[in-house]
Amino acid sequence: QNMLEELLIHKPDDPIQYMINHLKQNNDDAPRICVLGPPASGKTTVAMWLCKHLDAIRISQETLLFKEILALTREAKMYKERKQKIPNALWANLIQERLSNVDCIKQGWILEGFPENQEQAWMLQSSGIIPRHVVVLYAPDTVLIERNSGKRLDPFTEEVYHTTFDWPSDPLIQQRLVKPEDLSEQEMSKKLLEYHRNFPGVFQIYQKVLKSISADQPSMDVLSQVLTYVQTRHRSAAPFTPRILFCGPPGSGKSLQAALIAQKYSVVNICCGQLLKEAVADKTKLGELIKPYIDNGYPVPDNLVMKILAERLNALDCMTNGWVLYGFPRDIEQGEQLQKSHIIPN
Amino acid sequence: MAAGEQEARDYLQRHRLPELLHRLGALLLYHRPERPREFLIRMLERVKAGKRAEGEYPYLMDEANLAAMFGLLDVVGQGHITPAQYREALKTLGLSTEDLQLGDDVNITLDVFKEEVKKKMLESWAVY
């Protein structure tokens, strides 16, 4: 799937050689992440943490302007010196250049704070840069404005700290911290307004790969949620029949969860007790055999249960859609019988 | 259809990529290698080499398979099959039957069958 996507984006003249190179690169698992959110939501902290964990390259507007030496950096700096807003096309080209470096291709990339608006997002897409995961941090405006006033930067490592929530324990770092330049409340509200104006457009474009995470929680929680999301693969088109077995003590919620799962993933919900009662009600041959047990309240013998269960689980709808089973097996012998009749949950 | 989408579809059509991916999938399912990535790289290298007439294309059916197929069609053991059967066989193999100018009374022997099928398979891989 990835290979076909790349082929369609770049349309090389010699597709066979391109495919060989792509397969040799083996970078299907390299992270391609965008971290977006309003100012003071913690994007830099999240991006740096992900960077350390996933060993990918972090790219933000500051790193492109100040750390990297790319052909277009000078032009971008000139705009900044004239206090003009850097045009979207220039940003898109800068990012494209940086992402085509070998280290980004091999290790993956984390794009922080970009795209800011719909136009930038379209430009990224048309140059073939498509993130696989987009993380959006959100928090109420009041929380953000308050948080912003406590922001402190470490000029050496570029890490972002906070006077109340994230104060470094090392006294050396404490002495180094400075207040970032554009910190006034007015500036902050202006930036927030712009963010809220531009954001819905971007949200719409990346809807399928996007996950919103609340930034108004302790930082470790935010970070762990982001990491979990980023490491999940999206559902592929490969055929897959889930065969789910629910085990648990009585009262643990098996039937509820099984019903919810059956609804969400369109699998067949099978409760063992229910199945037996249905067999009796339908007056099938096996139903007649187990009727006396059920009427007198005795447990039905294992081999009869197995026969009914095997018949149900091998029916066409279970084979094609998958199934979720609960209420069986209840002990070792039943489990072994299940294995012997080749009904193996995955 | 948008211009971009049309361009992409034309590109796929021009290089016959859907058929190539289909064949690669068939090869993977048939051989089921432990390391699919290396297997795919090897197959693609072979296609490239075949184009330069340096090696063999990765065929799924070899001579023994063709002989067996002929045997299935020629149930009685006469040693030849009718053109109608021949056309059906070509269709099953996924090869084109357009340029066949055989009359309905010509009988196809095993050797002719093998030759023709091999030629057609070569042609169908050569487009890559």
Side-chain angles (χ1 to χ4, degrees):
Chain A
Q1 199 175 340
N2 277 338
M3 191 161 73
L4 189 58
E5 267 177 22
E6 293 283 307
L7 274 174
L8 280 175
I9 291 176
H10 295 113
K11 297 202 196 59
D13 277 329
D14 183 5
I16 305 241
Q17 188 57 46
Y18 189 84
M19 283 163 56
I20 296 182
N21 291 343
H22 177 92
L23 286 171
K24 281 197 183 148
Q25 242 171 33
N26 197 3
N27 70 339
D28 286 336
D29 287 329
R32 302 213 294 253
I33 307 168
C34 265
V35 178
L36 301 174
S41 51
K43 302 189 287 294
T44 317
T45 322
V46 167
M48 297 196 114
W49 201 77
L50 277 180
C51 203
K52 275 190 247 172
H53 241 263
L54 300 172
D55 202 21
I57 311 274
R58 175 181 150 244
I59 302 176
S60 74
Q61 296 184 326
E62 289 84 34
T63 62
L64 281 175
L65 283 180
F66 300 119
K67 288 191 81 175
E68 318 276 352
I69 317 290
L70 300 165
L72 298 165
T73 321
R74 239 181 328 145
E75 206 182 315
K77 275 198 182 161
M78 288 198 315
Y79 271 96
K80 193 105 192 200
E81 272 154 35
R82 283 181 271 158
K83 296 268 182 175
Q84 282 176 340
K85 210 164 138 75
I86 301 182
N88 292 333
L90 190 55
W91 274 128
N93 285 336
L94 263 174
I95 291 187
Q96 199 185 358
E97 207 182 314
R98 181 66 183 88
L99 287 180
S100 51
N101 270 355
V102 179
D103 56 356
C104 272
I105 299 183
K106 271 263 147 212
Q107 294 174 288
W109 43 266
I110 301 178
L111 201 51
E112 177 204 322
F114 194 89
E116 296 164 319
N117 52 36
Q118 217 176 24
E119 201 187 308
Q120 292 179 353
W122 279 332
M123 290 200 180
L124 273 190
Q125 273 196 330
S126 51
S127 46
I129 299 171
I130 305 179
R132 234 180 270 139
H133 293 96
V134 175
V135 173
V136 174
L137 301 169
Y138 66 89
D141 283 353
T142 44
V143 171
L144 293 173
I145 296 187
E146 225 190 280
R147 230 196 247 190
N148 196 33
S149 56
K151 180 173 171 180
R152 297 286 178 271
L153 274 182
D154 180 353
F156 214 57
T157 62
E158 313 223 347
E159 297 219 6
V160 178
Y161 293 100
H162 193 273
T163 47
T164 326
F165 299 119
D166 193 9
W167 193 238
S169 39
D170 189 354
L172 274 175
I173 305 187
Q174 281 175 16
Q175 285 174 0
R176 287 206 294 251
L177 294 182
V178 293
K179 266 174 99 150
E181 5 171 89
D182 46 356
L183 206 46
S184 67
E185 258 197 46
Q186 252 191 341
E187 276 280 334
M188 178 66 180
S189 339
K190 235 182 15 172
K191 281 205 240 181
L192 266 177
L193 266 177
E194 215 186 297
Y195 173 80
H196 283 299
R197 201 163 15 114
N198 287 329
F199 193 64
V202 181
F203 194 94
Q204 214 183 15
I205 296 182
Y206 291 123
Q207 230 170 10
K208 289 203 193 132
V209 290
L210 192 135
K211 184 162 169 106
S212 301
I213 296 187
S214 164
D216 192 12
Q217 334 171 40
S219 53
M220 270 332 277
D221 290 354
V222 179
L223 295 176
S224 65
Q225 281 181 8
V226 173
L227 193 64
T228 325
Y229 174 58
V230 155
Q231 287 176 327
T232 54
R233 288 188 191 207
H234 297 293
R235 286 280 253 349
S236 74
F240 174 68
T241 41
R243 298 193 292 276
I244 311 168
L245 197 59
F246 252 106
C247 298
S252 54
K254 298 190 293 293
S255 52
L256 178 63
Q257 292 296 328
L260 290 175
I261 287 193
Q263 200 184 28
K264 181 167 179 189
Y265 296 107
S266 337
V267 295
V268 181
N269 186 0
I270 301 180
C271 165
C272 197
Q274 199 96 359
L275 195 63
L276 294 175
K277 293 197 191 121
E278 280 171 13
V280 172
D282 287 341
K283 299 213 171 75
T284 62
K285 213 168 55 165
L286 285 168
E288 296 292 312
L289 281 174
I290 64 177
K291 191 158 145 63
Y293 290 97
I294 295 205
D295 283 342
N296 292 332
Y298 286 123
V300 185
D302 286 350
N303 56 346
L304 288 176
V305 179
M306 271 318 304
K307 278 207 200 127
I308 299 186
L309 204 54
E311 203 182 309
R312 182 66 183 94
L313 288 177
N314 289 329
L316 189 62
D317 59 348
C318 279
M319 295 290 252
T320 41
N321 295 339
W323 43 264
V324 53
L325 175 65
Y326 64 98
F328 189 90
R330 291 182 203 240
D331 52 38
I332 294 191
E333 285 101 29
Q334 291 184 345
E336 283 174 358
Q337 286 214 341
L338 198 63
Q339 294 279 95
K340 265 194 259 171
S341 44
H342 297 293
I343 298 174
I344 303 181
N346 56 11
Chain B
M1 240 190 271
E5 193 178 334
Q6 188 59 41
E7 223 183 280
R9 282 185 196 271
D10 287 337
Y11 176 77
L12 283 180
Q13 206 52 30
R14 210 175 346 134
H15 291 276
R16 321 241 179 157
L17 288 173
E19 287 95 356
L20 180 62
L21 289 173
H22 194 77
R23 284 181 203 227
L24 288 176
L27 284 166
L28 270 176
L29 282 174
Y30 184 73
H31 290 111
R32 277 181 242 176
E34 279 299 315
R35 305 160 73 100
R37 212 172 262 269
E38 278 86 352
F39 179 78
L40 280 177
I41 295 181
R42 275 206 317 269
M43 290 294 124
L44 283 171
E45 298 271 358
R46 271 176 75 179
V47 177
K48 236 182 34 166
K51 214 157 99 164
R52 298 194 299 258
E54 280 169 8
E56 271 264 312
Y57 285 116
Y59 294 127
L60 209 47
M61 297 200 85
D62 59 12
E63 287 221 20
N65 296 126
L66 286 180
M69 195 169 176
F70 190 84
L72 280 173
L73 291 167
D74 178 25
V75 210
V76 192
Q78 295 171 313
H80 50 238
I81 57 176
T82 67
Q85 285 175 310
Y86 180 47
R87 276 204 190 85
E88 281 303 313
L90 285 181
K91 255 198 273 178
T92 318
L93 287 168
L95 303 168
S96 75
T97 57
E98 296 161 344
D99 49 345
L100 273 165
Q101 307 107 334
L102 299 163
D104 267 333
D105 53 348
V106 178
N107 285 331
I108 318 230
T109 61
L110 178 59
D111 293 321
V112 174
F113 181 68
K114 279 204 272 193
E115 277 301 316
E116 288 292 309
V117 173
K118 276 206 277 202
K119 223 175 29 171
K120 281 194 179 284
M121 294 227 268
L122 192 69
E123 271 171 20
S124 72
W125 273 104
V127 288
Y128 300 115

